[in-house]
Amino acid sequence: MADIYDILIIGGGPGGYVAAIRAAQLGFKTAVVEREHLGGICLNWGCIPTKALLRSAEVFHYAEHATNYGLKIAKPDFDIADVVKRSRGISAQLNGGVGFLLKKNKVDVIWGEAKITKAGKGGPVEVSVGKMQKPVVEPQNPVPKGTLGEGSYRAKHVIVATGARPRVLPGIEPDGERIWTYFEAMKPKVMPKSLIVMGSGAIGIEFASFYRTMGAEVTVVELLPQIMPVEDAEIAAVARKQLEKQGLKILTDTKVTKVTKSGEGVTVEAEAKDGAKLTLTAERLISAIGVQGNCEGLGLEDVGVVIERGLVKIDAYGKTNVEGIYAIGDVAGAPMLAHKAEHEGTICVEKIKGLDAHPMKKEQIPGCTYCQPQVASVGLTEAKAREAGREIKVGRFKFQANGKAIALGEPEGLVKTIFDAKSGELLGAHMVGAEVTELIQGFVIAMGLETTEEELMHTVFPHPTLSEMMHESVLDAYGRVIHM
């Protein structure tokens, strides 16, 4: 049995590897157990490779509409194999980068599948590492050099950062051929001519946007009344209008009741809110109905860790009810975002160290969807603010009134801000349009610093930039908008 680690982290995704590096910086003897791919789902099968695919789609879109910019380009085309190859290459590059960072910070990497075998009895937590039991998702990057292998390990503190996986509905199980999850949607062997996307959260809408831009006929089926249900309704409506203008078909308030594989495609039976029956056919179905935490097989319940609704129950610092065991990221609950996991890991490690760690303010965690147009938000929606009984002031500014947006050829979009009418506190900010995922952090910082409307109004925004719309939206909330 190896020497005792100060901190051992199960899972090498964004939450796990960031927690490991921070732990090493604080002087802890640290190890990460990973069974499949450093960087986790985000880097290998989520955030990063999808952005690569969406970038290819964006460039293809601009090439198709080159005449809008006074340019002449022969009819553009693409090879889907090359598009996928670029995406996978970027993931592989960053996967190696994570390994480098862990090595640089002297973090041990243990390769295999971990299970907690002993905890909560005053001594160190014991972890057994064996062969991976789940099927490998291909393509698989090589196991990093210098990793430790199977065996028993001990640590004073164990942080569970095992992430999540696609949620599956009975009767609509993915087969890897005609019914896909994001794994298969990320690496199509051929470009499908038609798809049905079940679910309109960030994952569903991003894939719908990618495949539609690349020429496929795409229908999105959403159970709830609006697409991107967590977003402000007004922003979601603007996004929907633009997506439908691009040819995306969207069915909201519609429930998928049955999926049948037939020939080379799928047939989907659905029911609208008014009871109307629908039959849809396509070559492929992407199931994007959310994710669920990877809690199973870790020995958590065997040592007494409380699991609620498939997630590890933790306090504000990632601590479970069992001494020496913590959890961060998707496995510990919403919002299931990489940047939340990273920050949660830092908070957890700093609390273990005894530093003055501050609990995460989940209302200040931004959310981004990288479809075309992009959507980004932080804080309360208008509806949530009103439900909370807040007296509010709402500001809006349209992209079509911004010089930079017009120059970019991106005049469709909206920036919306919500303030407490009495205190001037920024309660929420919501955007739809070009590059808003890069703009939202300005409002995130403002909320974190408890910036008021007056301070935002007195801030000088550079011209010409898209960021000027943020300023104008604040001004509009208080009847002082200039350019609209």
Side-chain angles (χ1 to χ4, degrees):
M1 186 174 287
D3 293 338
I4 297 177
Y5 287 101
D6 294 312
I7 294 179
L8 183 145
I9 299 161
I10 302 175
Y17 83 75
V18 169
I21 291 172
R22 183 64 183 129
Q25 289 174 344
L26 292 172
F28 288 123
K29 180 177 172 59
T30 308
V32 169
V33 182
E34 175 54 52
R35 68 182 182 181
E36 192 167 7
H37 34 231
L38 291 174
I41 291 297
C42 171
L43 192 151
N44 294 276
W45 296 101
C47 319
I48 299 299
T50 53
K51 303 304 126 5
L53 294 176
L54 286 162
R55 178 61 170 170
S56 292
E58 183 181 35
V59 173
F60 183 64
H61 167 80
Y62 284 130
E64 284 193 309
H65 296 84
T67 55
N68 293 347
Y69 300 87
L71 305 175
K72 294 181 180 180
I73 298 177
K75 184 174 175 59
D77 199 1
F78 65 90
D79 184 329
I80 192 62
D82 289 338
V83 172
V84 172
K85 182 180 178 181
R86 175 179 181 270
S87 172
R88 300 314 310 156
I90 290 168
S91 285
Q93 177 184 344
L94 294 176
N95 173 278
V98 173
F100 167 78
L101 290 172
L102 292 172
K103 183 178 180 180
K104 174 187 173 185
N105 286 277
K106 298 180 174 54
V107 175
D108 287 345
V109 176
I110 304 168
W111 208 256
E113 193 160 289
K115 182 175 182 178
I116 298 171
T117 56
K118 182 180 178 182
K121 298 178 181 178
V125 180
E126 296 185 8
V127 177
S128 173
V129 177
K131 287 184 173 19
M132 185 172 74
Q133 299 302 308
K134 70 180 286 292
V136 175
V137 179
E138 298 291 352
Q140 171 77 339
N141 293 309
V143 177
K145 295 179 180 179
T147 59
L148 303 177
E150 300 169 29
S152 295
Y153 298 87
R154 296 182 295 167
K156 297 173 185 176
H157 309 276
V158 169
I159 300 174
V160 177
T162 48
R165 64 187 183 278
R167 187 178 298 278
V168 175
L169 290 179
I172 315 179
E173 293 85 0
D175 63 0
E177 294 294 329
R178 285 167 287 182
I179 301 178
W180 290 351
T181 65
Y182 53 72
F183 289 113
E184 294 80 19
M186 203 102 47
K187 50 172 187 174
K189 296 176 182 177
V190 296
M191 185 67 190
K193 295 179 180 178
S194 59
L195 295 103
I196 297 167
V197 179
M198 187 170 65
S200 72
I203 294 173
I205 285 294
E206 287 184 4
F207 277 119
S209 181
F210 167 73
Y211 279 103
R212 178 62 200 136
T213 302
M214 302 304 277
E217 293 296 321
V218 181
T219 301
V220 176
V221 183
E222 171 56 52
L223 178 64
L224 297 175
Q226 74 171 56
I227 62 169
M228 293 181 276
V230 301
E231 300 296 344
D232 184 88
E234 185 176 6
I235 295 297
V238 173
R240 176 172 183 164
K241 182 179 179 180
Q242 289 305 305
L243 291 167
E244 289 179 329
K245 188 177 179 180
Q246 296 164 21
L248 200 65
K249 298 174 184 176
I250 299 173
L251 303 173
T252 47
D253 271 327
T254 303
K255 180 181 180 180
V256 173
T257 57
K258 186 178 180 180
V259 176
T260 305
K261 290 180 280 187
S262 54
E264 295 300 315
V266 293
T267 299
V268 172
E269 295 178 26
E271 182 177 336
K273 187 177 180 180
D274 61 5
K277 309 292 185 184
L278 303 168
T279 300
L280 309 169
T281 58
E283 290 186 3
R284 300 290 183 269
L285 169 71
I286 299 176
S287 178
I289 55 169
V291 297
Q292 62 187 82
N294 292 322
C295 297
E296 305 86 353
L298 297 168
L300 293 172
E301 291 176 296
D302 293 340
V303 296
V305 173
V306 174
I307 308 292
E308 290 185 348
R309 300 178 67 181
L311 299 169
V312 181
K313 185 178 180 181
I314 60 171
D315 68 8
Y317 301 98
K319 190 175 182 179
T320 71
N321 62 302
V322 175
E323 182 182 351
I325 299 180
Y326 309 77
I328 60 171
D330 292 358
V331 76
M336 293 182 173
L337 301 167
H339 44 283
K340 174 256 194 181
E342 292 177 353
H343 196 63
E344 212 165 29
T346 299
I347 290 171
C348 182
V349 168
E350 291 183 351
K351 184 65 174 179
I352 292 172
K353 184 65 176 180
L355 302 182
D356 186 21
H358 297 279
M360 181 180 293
K361 295 180 179 179
K362 291 188 177 182
E363 68 275 11
Q364 293 183 9
I365 300 173
C368 297
T369 304
Y370 299 82
C371 52
Q372 179 63 26
Q374 295 179 5
V375 175
S377 62
V378 64
L380 297 177
T381 64
E382 181 178 353
K384 289 293 184 182
R386 295 190 187 281
E387 286 174 18
R390 307 293 287 261
E391 183 182 343
I392 61 175
K393 288 183 179 290
V394 180
R396 300 173 177 85
F397 196 82
K398 295 182 178 180
F399 272 53
Q400 65 191 36
N402 175 263
K404 181 65 178 293
I406 295 170
L408 290 174
E410 301 286 355
E412 301 296 332
L414 177 68
V415 177
K416 179 176 180 178
T417 47
I418 302 162
F419 292 89
D420 183 280
K422 296 178 181 178
S423 67
E425 177 189 0
L426 178 61
L427 301 176
H430 309 273
M431 308 177 178
V432 55
E435 303 304 327
V436 296
T437 58
E438 300 294 337
L439 297 177
I440 192 64
Q441 193 61 22
F443 281 134
V444 176
I445 293 170
M447 291 179 72
L449 295 175
E450 299 182 355
T451 305
T452 65
E453 90 293 351
E454 184 175 357
E455 291 163 325
L456 285 168
M457 285 192 282
H458 289 156
T459 299
V460 178
F461 287 73
H463 173 81
T465 64
L466 298 176
S467 69
E468 290 176 280
M469 293 183 288
M470 300 165 67
H471 191 218
E472 293 276 15
S473 178
V474 175
L475 292 171
D476 183 60
Y478 289 86
R480 294 175 53 178
V481 67
I482 301 296
H483 292 98
M484 190 172 68

